[in-house]
Amino acid sequence: MVQAAHDATSFVAPLEVEEEELYHAKTFIGKYIWSQDAKVIAIQYAVTAIAIGLVALVLSVIMRLQLGFPDTFDFITPSNYLQFVTMHGMIMVIYLLTALFLGGFGNYLIPLMCGARDMVFPYVNMVSYWVYLAAVLLLVASFFVPGGPTGAGWTLYPPQAISPGTPGADAGIIMMLVSLALFIVGFTMGGLNYVVTVLQARTRGMTLMRLPLTIWGIFMATVLALLAFPALFVSAIMMTLDRLLGTSFFMPAMVSMGEQTAYDGGSPILFQHLFWFFGHPEVYIVALPAFGIVSDLLATHARKCIFGYRMMVWAIVAIGALSFVVWAHHMYVSGMNPYFGFFFATTTLIIAVPTAIKVYNWVLTLWRGNIRLTVPMLFAIGFIFTFINGGLTGLFLGNVTVDLPLSDTYFVVAHFHMVMAVSPILVVFGAIYHWYPKITGRMLNDTLGKAHFWITFIGTYTIYYPMHYLGFEGLPRRYYAYGDTAFMSDSAQALNSFITVAACIVAVAQILFIWNLISSLRNGKPSGPNPWEATTLEWQTPDTPPKHGNFGENLPLVYRWAYDYSVPGAVEDFIPQNVPPEDVPTARTDDPTAAPAEGQPA
Amino acid sequence: MSVTLVFMAVLMGMVAFWLLRHTINVRPWAAESRGNLINSNIQLPATKIALGVFMAVVASLFSLFISAYSIRMSLADWRPMPEPDLLWVNTGILVLASVALQWAWNAANKGRMEIVKRAMSIAGALTVAFVLGQYLAWEQLIATGYFMTANPANAFFFLLTGLHALHLFGGLVAWYRTSARLWRGVGETAEIAKIRLNVELCAVYWHFLLVIWLILFSLMLNT
Ligand code: HEM
Ligand SMILES: [Cu+2]
């Protein structure tokens, strides 16, 4: 099947755009350290992101210990708690999820799935990783400076973020801001690559509408990130200047520690606008790649074409565009004009429409599919459940009147963990179980994988479901301890302890996953080139793992979309994208030219 | 934030329109026979697309600054800032630099490399002069006691001019690499095509930064 694509080259006119010269590294260092190969860069990104993600996981366990068993752990002071909250949130959202989806999966999958030999600017791509690494190291270093990392919350609101009394208001916050700026510079380099590669370096026949949804998700997320990160950049620079030079962009006149500060007239609300102008699209920066990947996992493991492919593409585009006009739903409590609140509540609810379309299409893809309950499939289905849950509470919070009492309570914590923490993480797991065989040539252990799935899936529900109730009661977020309150029922503390136990179990269970990743490198069952019998190009490479240049002598030619599963008439239940209709083995031998794909239900 | 909102709406509108046009009349499920394969990539050099995307990012950055500027401007403590007259001179210099690059681009299209060389050196010199001029304007302001903390308008002035100059520095790196290529030798046609492309990219980027500067400058005059 694979050769079929090769001898077809003679039919096609040469490329109008000249092929980029591949950079060939000779030394070990050039191949694996200062590598310009997108696949190696992807692994560097992924390993770094997962490593720093584990730090954030440990931080969350420490926070939970404090919340579940107050007055037990001496080493957690109130300041530490705030620092852990901040670092946990920031690392998870930006340094783990954004970097892993775009830098990790983006780098690995874009060239392979588009049928390119590499990213279009490999050198810039390499620099992108090293700048990211510098950002991560700077972040880690902030744990060790006097005063420690910043404890301002991941939203870094001024004036409190840079006022004395807030943990890390000296060095910590500055390192945080510089680290973010570095991250953005590094990301922009990578992002240019991802966008241009998708637009310009697809192989012959790979039209936009034949792209797998994974690529659509990553592409649109990159566009969002390129345009939204500047907002964070702007706010980081202005806050750094406020802190270092004493300008008053964000800092109002105020009395701090009994003294009038030198600041005057700045606007903290301005910061909130800038931050959330980045912050809301950021939610979709981690969600859209997850949407795309999960669509491909579902189609592959249910052996069915994705339901409503074009709808899925347009929904991704629509969500991306709309995500720029909803940011102020994070600022309902900032005292805004009620008409603004109305406007942003409306746009927020409108964005639910394309999102709901996607959810329906996922479910309809499963409908009467030939579902194989592999580990990636389990995670993909788990994602649907979790995402629906988080999405529904989002509809609540999108309404101003409902949000006001719930704002800054554990209801919000439960909501955003469901929708933007657990859901994308489930997809990350599913995607790793799915693509690990291509990356390493070996399967991950199935039993360990299933155990990992069930503990994580059920565990996250036991963690986050009860938080909704705590939120209703009014349990505030970002509190080190609650003390005696009239409004909390006595059982709240019991529930908190229960959540902590669940969180510890989930955290420990991740060892199964890490262990699986490491031990399967050696002991995993050899996977062969296409263990899931998938259609997309990365599974059709001549070598597994793919070599430098991805596709050997000739680039693959693409004759069909990525969703030709269970095509009526075809012998096998999948037809790779690079197989022309003429070469599809059909049951009826008398008419070999009949194009079976035409019988596809639309 | 209305400036940013409008900018984003236009940009996202363009993205969505382009994508829709390329995806609406397509039957993705239909397979293609051998021999009909098309190359549906954007038929432009990668660097050109990348420059376009990069300019969108920079435009997003500056539109956010402009939004921040106008929000901050509406607050009580805002006081107008004395603009050094030097800025007018600098603006003229930057315009001339842009003109010189346009000249280089036209000459490159006609293959007249000697003129390209001359135009490129003039453009480089003018750009350096502009950056120096901006620095002098800074000095003048500082000398009269208007550094960043003096008043929010000043803070924005230093921040915006600084960032704009940084972007020009980036452009100068590209300018230097193009010039190095140009002087190293013009012989093969492939090399000429590359130089022509690079000169064009420089020219476009300079025009873009000129437009940004004009917008920023008019904002600062309006304090
Ligand atoms: C086992 C997994 C996790 C546990 C147990 C956990 C637990 C927590 C806890 C206890 C807080 C602090 C709540 C407070 O005091 O206000 C928190 C905050 C947060 N978490 Fe997680 N979390 C987990 C995973 C994640 C992931 C994967 C993300 C990725 C998006 C994430 C994003 C955040 C954010 C953005 C905050 C808010 C930080 C802030 O208030 O500044 N978490 N989490
Ligand atoms: Cu939001």
Side-chain angles (χ1 to χ4, degrees):
Chain A
M1 282 200 172
V2 181
Q3 313 78 286
H6 290 171
D7 56 40
T9 347
S10 47
F11 287 88
V12 207
L15 285 170
E16 285 86 354
V17 176
E18 66 179 302
E19 241 188 276
E20 290 284 327
E21 283 164 44
L22 267 193
Y23 168 87
H24 288 292
K26 283 167 206 76
T27 58
F28 176 83
I29 292 187
K31 264 194 190 132
Y32 298 107
I33 313 279
W34 306 110
S35 175
Q36 304 192 11
D37 184 332
K39 296 188 292 299
V40 180
I41 297 173
I43 292 164
Q44 294 173 326
Y45 254 113
V47 170
T48 314
I50 292 175
I52 192 74
L54 287 175
V55 173
L57 180 74
V58 171
L59 294 179
S60 71
V61 170
I62 301 179
M63 289 186 293
R64 275 318 318 177
L65 286 177
Q66 165 61 28
L67 295 175
F69 308 100
D71 307 323
T72 318
F73 301 96
D74 291 337
F75 71 100
I76 313 173
T77 65
S79 298
N80 282 343
Y81 182 84
L82 291 175
Q83 293 170 321
F84 294 162
V85 173
T86 309
M87 288 294 125
H88 162 78
M90 196 63 101
I91 291 176
M92 286 289 191
V93 175
I94 295 188
Y95 297 84
L96 170 68
L97 285 179
T98 308
L100 187 53
F101 271 129
L102 302 181
F105 288 111
N107 265 317
Y108 202 88
L109 295 176
I110 289 174
L112 275 165
M113 284 187 144
C114 292
R117 295 209 178 275
D118 206 329
M119 289 288 178
V120 285
F121 308 114
Y123 183 79
V124 181
N125 208 18
M126 173 187 80
V127 179
S128 155
Y129 168 72
W130 292 99
V131 177
Y132 164 66
L133 183 66
V136 170
L137 292 179
L138 191 58
L139 182 88
V140 172
S142 78
F143 277 91
F144 301 104
V145 294
T150 174
W154 88 284
T155 45
L156 304 178
Y157 281 2
Q160 148 255 13
I162 52 176
S163 299
T166 308
D170 296 318
I173 181 72
I174 292 174
M175 293 173 83
M176 181 79 254
L177 295 170
V178 175
S179 167
L180 285 174
L182 275 180
F183 181 92
I184 295 165
V185 171
F187 169 78
T188 305
M189 297 182 193
L192 285 176
N193 256 307
Y194 315 152
V195 169
V196 180
T197 305
V198 173
L199 288 179
Q200 200 250 9
R202 281 167 286 131
T203 185
R204 226 134 232 266
M206 183 62 93
T207 57
L208 283 179
M209 283 312 246
R210 289 206 186 114
L211 283 173
L213 286 167
T214 300
I215 299 301
W216 273 107
I218 294 178
F219 173 74
M220 200 63 202
T222 308
V223 172
L224 292 193
L226 284 173
L227 297 175
F229 269 124
L232 185 62
F233 193 73
V234 168
S235 28
I237 293 182
M238 296 192 348
M239 183 134 74
T240 312
L241 292 175
D242 274 6
R243 173 68 187 74
L244 286 184
L245 296 183
T247 53
S248 301
F249 291 113
F250 301 134
M251 295 297 278
M254 58 178 201
V255 176
S256 167
M257 309 243 156
E259 277 181 48
Q260 178 78 32
T261 60
Y263 297 115
D264 189 24
S267 167
I269 299 288
L270 171 58
F271 177 89
Q272 296 193 11
H273 277 299
L274 290 173
F275 182 86
W276 287 112
F277 189 84
F278 144 78
H280 188 82
E282 170 64 31
V283 175
Y284 289 98
I285 292 168
V286 303
L288 290 180
F291 289 176
I293 290 174
V294 94
S295 309
D296 283 350
L297 296 190
L298 289 172
T300 307
H301 297 272
R303 319 308 291 166
K304 255 187 81 184
C305 78
I306 190 84
F307 189 93
Y309 173 85
R310 285 188 297 183
M311 275 303 157
M312 293 302 244
V313 172
W314 294 331
I316 287 179
V317 177
I319 293 173
L322 284 173
S323 71
F324 279 109
V325 292
V326 299
W327 77 87
H329 63 210
H330 297 274
M331 300 164 59
Y332 289 152
V333 292
S334 71
M336 58 164 67
N337 183 323
Y339 290 109
F340 282 150
F342 176 73
F343 172 80
F344 284 105
T346 312
T347 51
T348 304
L349 297 185
I350 289 176
I351 216 172
V353 175
T355 315
I357 290 179
K358 295 195 76 74
V359 172
Y360 289 127
N361 286 355
W362 288 322
V363 177
L364 287 167
T365 304
L366 290 176
W367 172 256
R368 306 183 67 184
N370 177 11
I371 296 177
R372 299 179 178 171
L373 281 181
T374 55
V375 179
M377 186 60 153
L378 289 176
F379 276 104
I381 297 175
F383 162 84
I384 301 182
F385 278 96
T386 316
F387 186 73
I388 292 178
N389 257 303
L392 288 178
T393 49
L395 290 181
F396 287 56
L397 294 173
N399 291 284
V400 187
T401 39
V402 186
D403 180 67
L404 290 185
L406 288 176
S407 183
D408 271 328
T409 68
Y410 261 77
F411 191 84
V412 174
V413 177
H415 154 69
F416 73 68
H417 274 96
M418 278 288 188
V419 78
M420 77 161 307
V422 177
S423 302
I425 284 283
L426 288 177
V427 176
V428 164
F429 287 140
I432 291 177
Y433 282 100
H434 184 75
W435 276 293
Y436 186 89
K438 180 50 63 175
I439 298 170
T440 63
R442 288 178 189 272
M443 305 294 286
L444 284 166
N445 182 304
D446 212 46
T447 321
L448 282 180
K450 289 202 164 123
H452 175 222
F453 168 74
W454 285 110
I455 300 175
T456 308
F457 182 65
I458 297 177
T460 49
Y461 271 75
T462 47
I463 298 173
Y464 296 110
Y465 241 81
M467 284 192 193
H468 292 93
Y469 296 101
L470 292 174
F472 278 141
E473 287 213 328
L475 187 70
R477 131 186 210 209
R478 292 178 178 164
Y479 269 40
Y480 162 75
Y482 309 105
D484 278 333
T485 50
F487 57 83
M488 297 296 302
S489 50
D490 295 336
S491 54
Q493 187 51 48
L495 205 48
N496 256 332
S497 315
F498 170 78
I499 294 175
T500 297
V501 174
C504 291
I505 295 175
V506 170
V508 171
Q510 304 313 311
I511 294 176
L512 292 180
F513 174 63
I514 301 292
W515 168 248
N516 202 351
L517 285 185
I518 295 170
S519 78
S520 297
L521 277 181
R522 277 266 173 102
N523 311 322
K525 200 164 78 217
S527 65
N530 191 0
W532 312 115
E533 308 187 299
T535 55
T536 38
L537 289 181
E538 79 275 24
W539 301 104
Q540 325 303 334
T541 54
D543 309 286
T544 299
K547 295 227 168 78
H548 190 56
N550 292 347
F551 292 103
E553 216 30 33
N554 293 309
L555 285 176
L557 302 172
V558 171
Y559 298 93
R560 57 183 72 244
W561 69 346
Y563 301 99
D564 273 341
Y565 290 105
S566 309
V567 177
V571 174
E572 282 181 273
D573 78 341
F574 72 107
I575 310 174
Q577 286 190 275
N578 58 352
V579 175
E582 294 84 347
D583 293 356
V584 178
T586 49
R588 285 173 298 132
T589 42
D590 50 294
D591 185 14
T593 48
E598 298 293 57
Q600 190 73 14
Chain B
M1 298 294 284
S2 39
V3 175
T4 313
L5 204 54
V6 170
F7 169 77
M8 273 310 159
V10 172
L11 209 61
M12 290 322 282
M14 271 158 53
V15 171
F17 175 78
W18 186 84
L19 287 176
L20 214 62
R21 232 189 41 181
H22 285 261
T23 54
I24 192 132
N25 271 329
V26 186
R27 289 156 65 236
W29 52 87
E32 197 111 39
S33 322
R34 199 180 269 185
N36 294 343
L37 285 190
I38 47 162
N39 177 355
S40 64
N41 287 332
I42 298 184
Q43 301 294 329
L44 287 176
T47 38
K48 241 186 196 174
I49 308 177
L51 180 66
V53 178
F54 182 67
M55 291 194 309
V57 176
V58 177
S60 163
L61 181 79
F62 279 103
S63 82
L64 283 155
F65 268 120
I66 292 169
S67 279
Y69 188 86
S70 48
I71 292 182
R72 187 67 183 79
M73 194 169 160
S74 63
L75 299 179
D77 68 326
W78 184 275
R79 270 178 306 282
M81 179 197 94
E83 297 89 16
D85 290 334
L86 185 56
L87 290 182
W88 288 99
V89 182
N90 291 350
T91 307
I93 293 178
L94 194 60
V95 172
L96 289 180
S98 231
V99 170
L101 273 168
Q102 183 65 39
W103 183 29
W105 181 9
N106 292 345
N109 274 338
K110 296 192 194 111
R112 301 173 62 179
M113 288 303 163
E114 284 315 307
I115 299 188
V116 178
K117 279 186 187 169
R118 197 176 320 148
M120 281 293 276
S121 2
I122 295 175
L126 285 170
T127 310
V128 174
F130 171 82
V131 175
L132 285 178
Q134 297 288 80
Y135 179 72
L136 282 181
W138 279 24
E139 294 272 281
Q140 288 181 4
L141 279 172
I142 295 172
T144 43
Y146 282 99
F147 191 49
M148 294 193 87
T149 44
N151 125 27
N154 278 76
F156 271 107
F157 175 81
F158 281 93
L159 181 55
L160 292 176
T161 47
L163 269 178
H164 181 262
L166 258 176
H167 282 88
L168 267 181
F169 274 124
L172 279 175
V173 173
W175 170 87
Y176 171 77
R177 296 183 50 163
T178 309
S179 308
R181 232 205 190 110
L182 191 57
W183 263 270
R184 210 180 305 128
V186 186
E188 311 149 47
T189 31
E191 191 64 13
I192 292 186
K194 264 206 179 123
I195 291 173
R196 187 180 300 156
L197 175 63
N198 287 357
V199 171
E200 173 180 352
L201 295 176
C202 284
V204 171
Y205 187 59
W206 253 257
H207 297 342
F208 171 73
L209 285 184
L210 174 65
V211 171
I212 298 239
W213 170 248
L214 293 177
I215 297 173
L216 294 179
F217 188 40
S218 58
L219 271 183
M220 289 162 193
L221 290 178
N222 270 324
T223 51

